[in-house]
Structure formats: C-alpha cells, structure tokens
Amino acid sequence: MSWQKSIEELRRRERLAEKMGGEEPVSRQRGRGKLTVRERVAFLADPGSFHEIGKIAGNATYGADDELEHFTPSNSVMGRAQLNGKSTVILADDFTVRGGAADASIWQKMVQAIKMAAEYRLPLVQMIDGTGGGGSVKMLEKDPRTYIPETPGWNEITHGLTQVPFVSLALGPCAGMGAGRVAASHFSVMVKELSQVFVAGPPVAIALGEDVTKEEMGGWKIQGQNGTVDNVVNSEAEAFETARRFLSYLPASVHELPEREQPNDTPDRREESLISIVPTDGKTPYKPRKIVEATVDKGSFFEIGHDWGRGIVCGFARLDGYPVGILAGDPFFLDGAWTADVCDKVARHMDLCSQFHLPVVHFVDCPGFAVGVKAETAGVTRAGVRAMTAIYQADVPVCSVVIRKAYGLAGSAMMNQSRTKWRYCWPSGDWGSLPMAGGIEAAFRKELAEAEDPDALKAQLYKKFDAIRSPFRTAESFYAEEIIDPRDTRPLLVDFIHHAWRTLEPGERRIGFRP
C-alpha cells in the first residue's frame, strides 16, 4: 500500500500546468517575439535553482465521475530561486492564460510571494506581462454583478517596499494592476517595442475620444522619458541581466548591509585625463560619465534612469569593491540646472541609496534650479524643496566632489551641509549665491549706463570679480575644505568609502514629512 497513484496524479497535473495556456496561445506568444513565462524564469534564475510554489493552482473542471476533465493553470508563476547565488523570490505573469488578466492569476499567489519576500528578507523580481484588473467585460456574463474596487495585496506591496528590493520587468502590455506593479518598485525595466505600460489600454482611450496605439500611449519613448520606468533595454535577455546587475549592489533586505566584492582595480589609480576633462572657459560642457568611470572601480558603473531627468546622472558603482550610489550633474542639459524631473530623480535616488545603506558620491555641477515659465509650470519649486529635503533626510554618508558650478538653493543641496562636510573641490569650481554672468550687469546697471565707455567698465568689473570668485579665495576662509588635483579623486574617494562604511547600520528607515 502506497501513495504512488497520488504522486502520479500530481505529476500529471504538473505537466498540464507546464502547457500554460495551450498550444495556440503559446504559439501566439512566441510569434510576438516573446518568451513564455517558464522560459523567462529559466533564463532569469541560476540554472536548476527555481523552486516553484503553487504550480498546480488553477481552474479545473470535473466530470460526472469526479475525474479531472480540463485544467487551466493560474497565469501567475511564483517561487524561490538563486540569482547570482543569492536567494530571491520570483513572481511572473503568464500572458498565454487570458492575457495575464489579474482575475486569472489567483491573487493569493501574488500576496504569498510578496509576504515571503518581506518576511524572509529576500529580494523580489516581478516579470509583468498582463492586462491587469478584472479582465474582459465579458466576465460579467458569468458573474452578473459589479463590485467596489479593492486591490488585494497592496498593503503587502507597501510594506514590502520598506523591507526588500523590488524589481519589476515589464515584458509585454502592462495595464491597470500590471502597470501599478511596474511602478511600485525600486527599479523597473521596459523592453523596446515589446512592452507598454498604461493605466488602461487603447480601447478605453478610444472610447474617450483619443485614437492611439499601445506604443503611442505607453511605449518606452514615453515611459522611459517620464520616469515611470527606470531603464529601457533592447531584449528580454538584457532585461534579465539588468535585473541581476541591479540587485548585485544591494543587500537582500534593509536588515543587512550591502556586500563588498573582491576589488578588481587599484585603489590609488590616478587618471591623467581628469586634469583636462573640464574646459577652462567655464562654459563648454563635458561628459560627466567619463569622470564617474575614471574614478570608480573599472567597469562598475551601472546607470539608472538614463532617459529621464537628464540634467543629473544617477546610478550605482563600486569603490575598492564597496557599492556606492552616484549622482553627477550633466552640463549637456540646461547646463545641469535642476528641473522638476531632475529634482524627482534626485529625491528617488537618494531615498533608494539611504534605504539600502549605500553611501553616495555626488559629482557636483549645478547652476541652480531651472528658471522660467516652463520650469515653474512644471512645479520646480515644490519638486526642488522635496529633493533638498530628501538629501537632508538621508542617513548615509555623502561625499561631494565639486567639479564646476554650485549656485543657489539647488547648488547648496550637494549634501546635508549641517553634517561633516566630506567634500573635495576641483580648481574648476565656480560657486556662489548666483552666477557672476548677468549678475554684474544687474548690480552695476547705473554705473554702466553712466559710464563713458560701458564696455571697458564691464570688462574691468568682470576681471575684478573673476579674481574674487577664485576657488582659492574660498579655501582661504575654509568655505572650501580641500581643493584637489582632479587626478587624486579616485584615491580620495576610496579613502572616503572605507571611513563611510564604519558608520553604516542596518535596519528600517524612518523619515519625517516631505513637503
């Protein structure tokens, strides 16, 4: 007497689950250039490491003899796996079963995955490919009533975001709840031409009078440039690798510190190119990513949010093997001025680094908040104050390297300046409450108007104030702590990270009100 027959039935049901939505839907999925949910899990996870939970959950029908006649698996696949040797929870949508509609996913599986991630302190990776919500209006024929909307699991999502890294990969059309899950993450990725993210799809927009396609309404050119998603990639394989790399910089949960990797670079490396990378005219832009890459461990810079808030470069990197957050002003975009979207990007990145205990290196080049009607219409004042507050609420060490401009309120937000100023200034530094250019004409308007030779007086005034704004004069009063040879930047940052690491403490983050 044994349970062999039951085990055989279990294996039969598992084989049925592996068929997903059936031959035709699977063929359509592949015909769209998309992997199936089980192929995605296999590509994302370390080989042979995925342990599925709830595989035989789904919709079953039974005949008169109570034998299973038909089985459609849930369109939600979940379980535990290893990613780069680290335990992770995976939650993946199956578009071949009713287009990934939420009412076919068995919502308890999603909630179970999120609870497991938070309670057992494991990162969560979601592969989202679904129409969300309650599916088609046709479902009302089967269950002829409507309901007051409720979103099971949102409390668990809200809590989980405070505990462990959430990564969302948009791998198809993501609407309603699917779109919400993409946005409710610490890091999100879209695949060009393959995925779209929107509150509701084109049929709803058309009914409201806007005739658009999925790509026109929620494609990567929109969502990658407005910050709804962080990164845009060219293929599903690249999305999987991007997720793995993002997680490599973070601890499994806020209750741990990030791990140091074996250094692959010399700590005292001095890059000769840094002595001339910033043009001496004070106006011509330079490429900040070259400065970042020259000072962090070789090959370690991982950019986040390339396509939005382009006045600031954000990402992760390593210094002598230790993970750090990176901010760098980009003078190619409005001279690096902080627009509303730049401010949102700064606040989001500082929150991310602070929550997961990554010290921050800020390469400063900021002429202030963006000025003008367009900037004010976009809400730069409120966004700017929120960004400044996020920086002052951060509880991780920040090292600022002032590359060039630092003006006004935004220029002051290079760090929490009420704390120890671990700061280095390049000789190209240019700072103050407002830029000299234009300020001299405004301050000496009367004198210039009355002068016999206004141009000569203006040249004389510019020469005088150019001398006054020398960074050496600032250093004389200890308003600039150290002016350094740019080539010494990497050795000094390596020194910073060793000291910063001594101050880090794991645990949940508690912040106050943010205006």
Side-chain angles (χ1 to χ4, degrees):
M1 193 76 173
S2 76
W3 293 96
Q4 183 60 36
K5 187 175 181 180
S6 295
I7 298 303
E8 290 172 0
E9 176 64 12
L10 171 63
R11 299 294 175 243
R12 180 172 79 97
R13 291 176 181 242
E14 288 174 341
R15 289 192 295 272
L16 290 173
E18 290 168 359
K19 293 181 179 180
M20 297 167 283
E23 187 174 332
E24 185 179 338
V26 167
S27 178
R28 285 199 304 268
Q29 176 88 346
R30 290 176 174 149
R32 296 185 180 107
K34 298 164 65 176
L35 298 173
T36 68
V37 65
R38 296 190 174 278
E39 290 168 339
R40 287 168 174 167
V41 171
F43 276 108
L44 174 67
D46 293 354
S49 70
F50 182 58
H51 175 82
E52 187 169 355
I53 301 169
K55 184 172 185 176
I56 65 171
N59 187 287
T61 57
Y62 291 86
D65 57 358
D66 287 325
E67 291 294 320
L68 180 68
E69 282 190 342
H70 180 75
F71 176 74
T72 302
S74 160
N75 61 14
S76 178
V77 174
M78 67 157 289
R80 297 183 301 276
Q82 300 283 310
L83 268 64
N84 296 328
K86 298 178 181 179
S87 293
T88 306
V89 175
I90 294 177
L91 177 63
D93 297 345
D94 184 359
F95 195 82
T96 70
V97 179
R98 292 197 50 243
D103 62 352
S105 67
I106 304 183
W107 62 263
Q108 291 90 342
K109 292 184 73 174
M110 180 190 78
V111 173
Q112 169 88 324
I114 296 167
K115 282 183 176 180
M116 179 181 293
E119 292 176 15
Y120 285 83
R121 300 179 178 181
L122 303 172
L124 173 71
V125 177
Q126 301 182 94
M127 293 186 278
I128 303 170
D129 185 4
T131 56
S136 170
V137 172
K138 278 188 174 181
M139 292 301 295
L140 296 177
E141 290 183 330
K142 296 182 178 179
D143 189 2
R145 55 155 179 85
T146 58
Y147 57 89
I148 299 173
E150 183 177 350
T151 306
W154 204 260
N155 183 66
E156 285 72 16
I157 290 173
T158 303
H159 174 66
L161 285 166
T162 70
Q163 301 297 308
V164 299
F166 275 34
V167 175
S168 293
L169 307 181
L171 302 178
C174 305
M177 181 61 175
R181 290 166 58 208
V182 171
S185 56
H186 298 104
F187 181 66
S188 55
V189 179
M190 286 183 74
V191 181
K192 289 182 181 179
E193 316 302 335
L194 191 73
S195 54
Q196 301 84 31
V197 177
F198 30 60
V199 172
V204 178
I206 291 169
L208 295 173
E210 191 173 6
D211 192 357
V212 291
T213 65
K214 288 188 296 185
E215 196 66 27
E216 289 169 341
M217 187 163 69
W220 66 273
K221 290 181 180 178
I222 293 176
Q223 307 296 21
Q225 293 176 11
N226 66 18
T228 296
V229 296
D230 295 297
N231 284 23
V232 175
V233 298
N234 294 308
S235 67
E236 292 192 52
E238 191 177 348
F240 304 148
E241 180 54 35
T242 300
R244 294 166 72 97
R245 191 168 180 202
F246 173 83
L247 288 173
S248 72
Y249 295 91
L250 299 182
S253 79
V254 299
H255 302 285
E256 303 173 27
L257 295 182
E259 292 185 6
R260 182 190 187 190
E261 290 188 351
Q262 183 65 34
N264 66 347
D265 200 351
T266 55
D268 57 353
R269 176 169 52 83
R270 298 173 81 249
E271 288 289 339
E272 192 64 31
S273 63
L274 295 178
I275 194 67
S276 56
I277 196 168
V278 176
T280 56
D281 63 9
K283 298 177 182 178
T284 304
Y286 56 89
K287 295 182 178 180
R289 292 170 182 82
K290 288 189 174 182
I291 295 176
V292 174
E293 290 164 355
T295 53
V296 302
D297 293 357
K298 288 183 178 179
S300 72
F301 179 53
F302 175 77
E303 187 167 358
I304 298 172
H306 177 278
D307 296 326
W308 73 288
R310 300 194 71 180
I312 195 84
V313 175
C314 293
F316 297 148
R318 291 187 180 272
L319 287 167
D320 203 26
Y322 291 102
V324 294
I326 297 292
L327 293 171
D330 191 340
F332 271 92
F333 297 91
L334 287 182
D335 202 30
W338 283 18
T339 56
D341 59 344
V342 167
C343 294
D344 289 343
K345 188 174 177 180
V346 168
R348 176 174 166 79
H349 197 61
M350 285 300 299
D351 283 346
L352 177 63
C353 294
S354 190
Q355 179 169 340
F356 292 108
H357 320 304
L358 270 69
V360 174
V361 175
H362 187 177
F363 297 93
V364 181
D365 191 351
C366 175
F369 291 124
V371 174
V373 173
K374 183 177 179 181
E376 295 297 345
T377 301
V380 68
T381 302
R382 171 80 70 178
V385 170
R386 287 181 63 81
M388 291 180 67
T389 306
I391 290 168
Y392 274 72
Q393 288 173 336
D395 53 12
V396 291
V398 177
C399 178
S400 294
V401 183
V402 184
I403 305 298
R404 191 157 63 182
K405 294 180 181 178
Y407 280 98
L409 276 175
S412 78
M414 62 183 70
M415 57 169 51
N416 181 345
Q417 297 205 48
S418 70
R419 302 175 68 180
T420 299
K421 297 182 180 70
W422 203 298
R423 176 165 59 189
Y424 302 106
C425 302
W426 285 15
S428 48
D430 178 18
W431 40 64
S433 60
L434 75 167
M436 293 288 186
I440 291 173
E441 286 88 339
F444 292 90
R445 184 182 295 109
K446 183 175 183 295
E447 291 86 343
L448 288 167
E450 295 173 352
E452 291 184 8
D453 189 344
D455 290 337
L457 177 58
K458 184 164 72 171
Q460 181 183 345
L461 289 169
Y462 264 91
K463 183 178 180 180
K464 173 184 176 181
F465 283 98
D466 272 346
I468 290 173
R469 76 181 196 179
S470 163
F472 296 108
R473 295 206 182 186
T474 309
E476 287 170 3
S477 300
F478 198 58
Y479 289 132
E481 295 75 30
E482 295 186 59
I483 297 175
I484 65 169
D485 183 331
R487 293 168 291 191
D488 291 331
T489 303
R490 172 173 168 78
L492 289 168
L493 290 179
V494 169
D495 176 60
F496 159 74
I497 196 62
H498 280 273
H499 287 284
W501 215 259
R502 297 170 59 229
T503 73
L504 299 179
E505 295 182 358
E508 295 184 42
R509 184 175 181 231
R510 293 176 175 83
I511 61 172
F513 177 75
R514 186 171 297 168

